[in-house]
Amino acid sequence: MSKGTINVSVDNIFPLIKKFLYSDHEIFLRELISNATDATLKMKHLANIGEAEGVEYGDPIIEVKLDKKKKELRIIDQGIGMTKEEVEKYINEIAFSGAEEFIEKYKDKNGKDAGIIGHFGLGFYSAFMVAKKVEIITKSYKDEPAVHWICDGSPEFTIEKADKKERGTEIILHIADDSTEFLEESRIRELLVKYNKFMPIPIKFGTRTETLPKPEDAKEEDKAPTKEVDNIINNPNPAWTKQPTELEDKDYNSFYRELYPMQFEEPLFHIHLNVDYPFNLTGILYFPKMTNDMSIQKDKIQLYQNQVFVTDNVEGIVPEFLTMLRGVIDSPDIPLNVSRSYLQADGAVKKISSYITRKVADKLKSLFNNDREGFEKKWNDIKIVIEYGMLTEDKFFEKAQDFALYPTVDDKYFTFSEFKEKIKDVQTDKDDNLVILYASNKEEQHSYIEAAKEKGYEVLLLDSPIVAHLLQKVESKEEKISFVRVDSDHVENLIKKDDAQVSKLSDEEKETLKTFLDGVIPKGKFSVQLEALDSNANPFIITEPEFMRRMKDMQKTGGGGMFGMGGFPEMYNLIVNTNHELVSEILNTKTDKKKERLVNQALDLARLSKNLLKGEELTAFIKRSYEMIK
């Protein structure tokens, strides 16, 4: 037996490990199983290249054992094992990374590593976050004695021979009194499923009872035979590690349910990522059905490093607009700190983000080109992601011109170029600007939509929460194009033509009417404008200027231009149609009381059509209406 001191640069690294090195103590199990996986993959690689003569790789597993009475947790592998010299090198000199040296030595001809996960040194020491004493019993695949290493959380350790006969390593954690949660079977199972669900080596945790088929001559009342089998908690060959040619739609859907067992709806479609230059990246992204609530969608993509779960916060790797998708991304090229929990943005990450954006855009274009009808049916379920991408990523905006759809209120779908071509003859104003009309709510803006359709105008239905921001961007990219919501002005004024209506009222009559209206109509809410419109148009029409309303909408979802710091007043335009017979009647009514009643009734009808009449004012309107028809 020999004793020694661990080669570290401070007197006692263990309190530092416990307090600072890892953000979450539970990841100790992930680190230890990652190390066991490393050791097993190393053994496989050596066997494949003929460096381990006389050693059979076999069908190794990693076993996790729990002994609550003894307060012990064991992780046992059948991997490469370590000699005494290697224990002293990789365990006692913790700054050394066994995996890095191994990769350098055994890289294949293409410069790829053998799937080695990471840094044994520091990863191993995460065990001391939860253990008061740690033992290693290990036997190398080389013909050398087994080794038993023991450390109680101080810099001192002991190392002696062991009688272990089989190749591999066993880590024994004597769980500390403040970490007894890790002696609970349910807690360990939870961690194994969370972090190691797709590790490339089978992981055994206990056994389970399996029901066998009944013998052919069994009676109906006979119970089916059972047997105890290893409880393998992971899927070592998840879908993203396979080639797309090996998988069918049912395989992708099955894997989606494996990732999200509580998600009952099938995904709309998937994108299989598979690139090995200039970086390594595999994964599968799924488009689920989306709602307009962007805040609840995020953190559904899982990031893995060589099949080891790292995080479900993929901000910085996946472009923000795609964080609403679901699925898996796996890359050994994403740099992580020792806890594998925080990403350090660098050039590789930016390239990965750009690649994912391009791949998603290409897939969407392919779906659009190959099955436009099917794509149109899915549009409302995916539009929030695409519109958000167009808003936040210029490269995606350019690519999306080929497949982003603009639906009309009549459920017809156009690309932007198709729609421009369709409306250019009818919706170009006197200054040669193309005016695109849109509604955000078919029910609330119904009367305005109908008025526009009567003029032969097409009206888009753009109802996502970020539409105001997106329209600003489209207008900045396109020349002589403006978007105008269909209720932002009277239909005659939405697309200004040369032929203006002549007013039936003289200038003196208009001045008299304006003075009276200003005295009756609430000044803080409405700005009164007299306009000569078609005599069939409504007498009073409430509009909200496009600029003001759009700024308010943008402020609700973040941003809001130069007024973004403060709230917007509820101000509306009240357009009074001087050619309507009711307006003439108001002007010619003798008593002010009756005049006032007609004005209030017409105003309330206009407010009702705009969904602005509520509460006490709605009650007063109903009462007044009944009195007028008595």
Side-chain angles (χ1 to χ4, degrees):
M1 182 176 84
S2 64
K3 293 189 177 184
T5 303
I6 292 165
N7 180 14
V8 292
S9 57
V10 292
D11 287 341
N12 192 343
I13 197 172
F14 299 107
L16 293 177
I17 288 173
K18 200 155 191 171
K19 192 168 184 183
F20 300 116
L21 188 59
Y22 293 89
S23 57
D24 197 341
H25 287 189
E26 70 177 33
I27 59 89
F28 81 93
L29 189 58
R30 178 188 73 183
E31 296 295 319
L32 294 178
I33 288 180
S34 296
N35 293 337
T37 303
D38 271 352
T40 310
L41 292 174
K42 286 176 183 177
M43 191 65 251
K44 181 180 184 181
H45 190 61
L46 291 179
N48 286 345
I49 65 173
E51 287 261 345
E53 287 182 26
V55 179
E56 286 291 323
Y57 176 66
D59 296 306
I61 65 168
I62 295 166
E63 185 170 8
V64 179
K65 283 184 173 179
L66 197 57
D67 190 325
K68 197 169 181 179
K69 285 184 181 175
K70 289 185 180 178
K71 293 189 174 179
E72 288 178 0
L73 180 65
R74 295 172 184 244
I75 294 94
I76 305 159
D77 70 59
Q78 296 155 25
I80 198 170
M82 287 182 284
T83 62
K84 183 184 178 192
E85 183 187 359
E86 287 167 339
V87 169
E88 287 175 344
K89 183 175 181 181
Y90 298 131
I91 301 299
N92 299 341
E93 297 182 20
I94 68 169
F96 220 81
S97 169
E100 282 180 6
E101 184 182 324
F102 184 89
I103 288 169
E104 201 54 43
K105 185 175 178 183
Y106 291 111
K107 268 185 181 172
D108 67 22
K109 290 174 185 173
N110 297 321
K112 294 180 189 173
D113 63 55
I116 309 306
I117 290 163
H119 303 272
F120 189 93
L122 285 175
F124 165 72
Y125 276 91
S126 66
F128 286 96
M129 293 192 300
V130 301
K132 59 190 176 188
K133 182 169 85 171
V134 177
E135 300 179 58
I136 301 173
I137 303 170
T138 183
K139 171 111 176 49
S140 172
Y141 74 98
K142 300 170 186 172
D143 187 18
E144 293 196 31
V147 181
H148 189 181
W149 180 93
I150 306 165
C151 181
D152 64 0
S154 70
E156 283 78 37
F157 65 87
T158 62
I159 188 165
E160 58 193 29
K161 286 186 179 179
D163 59 1
K164 180 176 172 62
K165 299 289 189 289
E166 297 81 22
R167 175 191 81 225
T169 299
E170 180 171 356
I171 309 285
I172 305 166
L173 278 63
H174 299 266
I175 301 297
D177 292 339
D178 63 355
S179 299
T180 53
E181 64 178 288
F182 300 112
L183 290 169
E184 298 297 329
E185 188 178 316
S186 59
R187 180 73 168 123
I188 296 301
R189 187 185 296 110
E190 175 197 341
L191 295 183
L192 291 173
V193 169
K194 178 177 179 180
Y195 291 110
N196 306 107
K197 189 176 181 182
F198 300 112
M199 292 290 278
I201 306 298
I203 300 167
K204 175 186 175 183
F205 184 51
T207 60
R208 59 184 175 82
T209 304
E210 191 173 87
T211 303
L212 300 173
K214 284 185 181 182
E216 286 185 13
D217 58 350
K219 295 177 182 175
E220 193 173 329
E221 62 270 19
D222 289 347
K223 287 186 178 179
T226 61
K227 69 170 180 177
E228 288 296 300
V229 296
D230 289 350
N231 181 36
I232 303 298
I233 58 91
N234 61 321
N235 171 4
N237 301 298
W240 84 81
T241 64
K242 300 173 184 176
Q243 292 297 317
T245 51
E246 299 175 55
L247 301 166
E248 298 178 7
D249 282 346
K250 64 179 182 181
D251 300 312
Y252 287 107
N253 289 344
S254 175
F255 181 59
Y256 183 75
R257 285 190 293 274
E258 197 174 343
L259 284 173
Y260 310 104
M262 300 308 292
Q263 185 66 36
F264 301 112
E265 282 189 332
E266 296 285 319
L268 297 168
F269 53 87
H270 62 267
I271 298 168
H272 197 133
L273 306 167
N274 195 341
V275 63
D276 54 17
Y277 182 82
F279 47 80
N280 284 292
L281 176 77
T282 54
I284 300 170
L285 295 179
Y286 293 93
F287 268 75
K289 281 192 173 183
M290 297 288 174
T291 69
N292 274 349
D293 185 355
M294 296 186 292
S295 62
I296 62 169
Q297 305 280 347
K298 295 187 178 182
D299 295 338
K300 297 288 188 183
I301 295 176
Q302 299 172 13
L303 175 66
Y304 287 76
Q305 191 185 70
N306 289 322
Q307 294 176 239
V308 182
F309 175 77
V310 175
T311 180
D312 53 12
N313 180 359
V314 293
E315 224 169 305
I317 296 177
V318 174
E320 189 183 359
F321 76 99
L322 293 177
T323 57
M324 292 181 281
L325 303 187
R326 292 181 181 157
V328 166
I329 289 172
D330 190 331
S331 176
D333 291 330
I334 293 169
L336 305 166
N337 72 354
V338 286
S339 71
R340 302 182 180 169
S341 299
Y342 300 99
L343 302 170
Q344 303 158 343
D346 73 349
V349 169
K350 286 172 186 153
K351 285 177 188 168
I352 288 170
S353 176
S354 178
Y355 167 79
I356 292 171
T357 300
R358 189 175 76 249
K359 189 77 175 175
V360 168
D362 290 346
K363 175 71 173 184
L364 290 167
K365 185 178 178 181
S366 168
L367 289 167
F368 175 80
N369 289 341
N370 295 333
D371 180 14
R372 175 158 180 169
E373 188 180 345
F375 191 82
E376 289 179 358
K377 285 178 183 174
K378 293 184 177 89
W379 178 253
N380 284 327
D381 293 318
I382 63 173
K383 66 182 178 187
I384 191 73
V385 175
I386 295 172
E387 289 173 351
Y388 192 30
M390 292 170 70
L391 182 62
T392 56
E393 299 269 336
D394 279 340
K395 284 183 180 175
F396 187 79
F397 181 93
E398 298 304 326
K399 285 181 171 289
Q401 298 305 307
D402 294 330
F403 55 77
L405 293 176
Y406 293 79
T408 70
V409 290
D410 298 317
D411 298 321
K412 294 173 185 168
Y413 292 83
F414 300 90
T415 63
F416 194 62
S417 57
E418 288 169 350
F419 192 70
K420 284 193 298 183
E421 187 63 29
K422 180 173 178 59
I423 66 170
K424 68 179 182 181
D425 293 335
V426 179
Q427 291 180 219
T428 300
D429 69 10
K430 60 186 177 64
D431 298 317
D432 204 32
N433 293 308
L434 188 65
V435 180
I436 299 175
L437 302 181
Y438 71 99
S440 59
N441 187 306
K442 280 205 286 190
E443 297 300 316
E444 290 180 7
Q445 293 147 25
H446 182 266
S447 62
Y448 298 89
I449 293 168
E450 289 304 306
K453 285 166 75 172
E454 282 174 19
K455 297 281 286 182
Y457 299 155
E458 288 282 354
V459 181
L460 295 177
L461 179 62
L462 305 176
D463 57 0
S464 75
I466 58 169
V467 75
H469 297 274
L470 183 59
L471 298 187
Q472 292 285 105
K473 181 153 188 173
V474 175
E475 286 172 344
S476 72
K477 297 271 187 186
E478 299 274 346
E479 289 185 6
K480 297 181 82 69
I481 279 182
S482 61
F483 286 84
V484 178
R485 204 168 86 176
V486 72
D487 60 344
S488 63
D489 208 332
H490 183 265
V491 69
E492 302 290 341
N493 296 332
L494 290 174
I495 304 174
K496 289 277 190 185
K497 305 285 185 178
D498 288 326
D499 46 344
Q501 291 273 351
V502 179
S503 175
K504 290 179 180 177
L505 302 184
S506 67
D507 289 346
E508 187 180 340
E509 288 173 319
K510 284 194 279 188
E511 187 62 38
T512 303
L513 178 63
K514 180 80 161 60
T515 304
F516 182 78
L517 292 173
D518 284 342
V520 176
I521 289 165
K523 285 188 178 60
K525 287 187 178 180
F526 298 100
S527 170
V528 178
Q529 298 172 11
L530 303 187
E531 292 195 25
L533 305 174
D534 190 289
S535 59
N536 292 322
N538 290 342
F540 281 24
I541 301 155
I542 293 171
T543 65
E544 189 174 10
E546 175 71 16
F547 173 77
M548 182 70 78
R549 183 202 43 71
R550 199 186 288 187
M551 288 296 115
K552 280 201 293 192
D553 288 348
M554 288 170 72
Q555 191 181 51
K556 286 177 193 170
T557 53
M562 53 187 157
F563 300 114
M565 299 303 290
F568 287 88
E570 288 290 327
M571 272 296 289
Y572 297 93
N573 291 335
L574 176 64
I575 298 171
V576 178
N577 180 6
T578 58
N579 288 339
H580 196 281
E581 59 183 339
L582 177 61
V583 174
S584 298
E585 187 181 339
I586 290 169
L587 182 65
N588 297 321
T589 297
K590 301 294 185 220
T591 66
D592 284 353
K593 189 174 180 183
K594 187 176 179 186
K595 263 189 193 180
E596 192 172 321
R597 192 166 63 163
L598 287 171
V599 168
N600 283 330
Q601 190 70 2
L603 175 62
D604 283 353
L605 283 166
R607 292 167 81 190
L608 195 63
S609 74
K610 189 78 174 166
N611 203 30
L612 293 173
L613 199 60
K614 292 169 183 162
E616 188 179 334
E617 291 173 331
L618 178 59
T619 304
F621 166 73
I622 293 168
K623 186 178 179 183
R624 188 192 322 117
S625 299
Y626 279 131
E627 286 173 357
M628 290 179 76
I629 59 174
K630 277 180 183 175

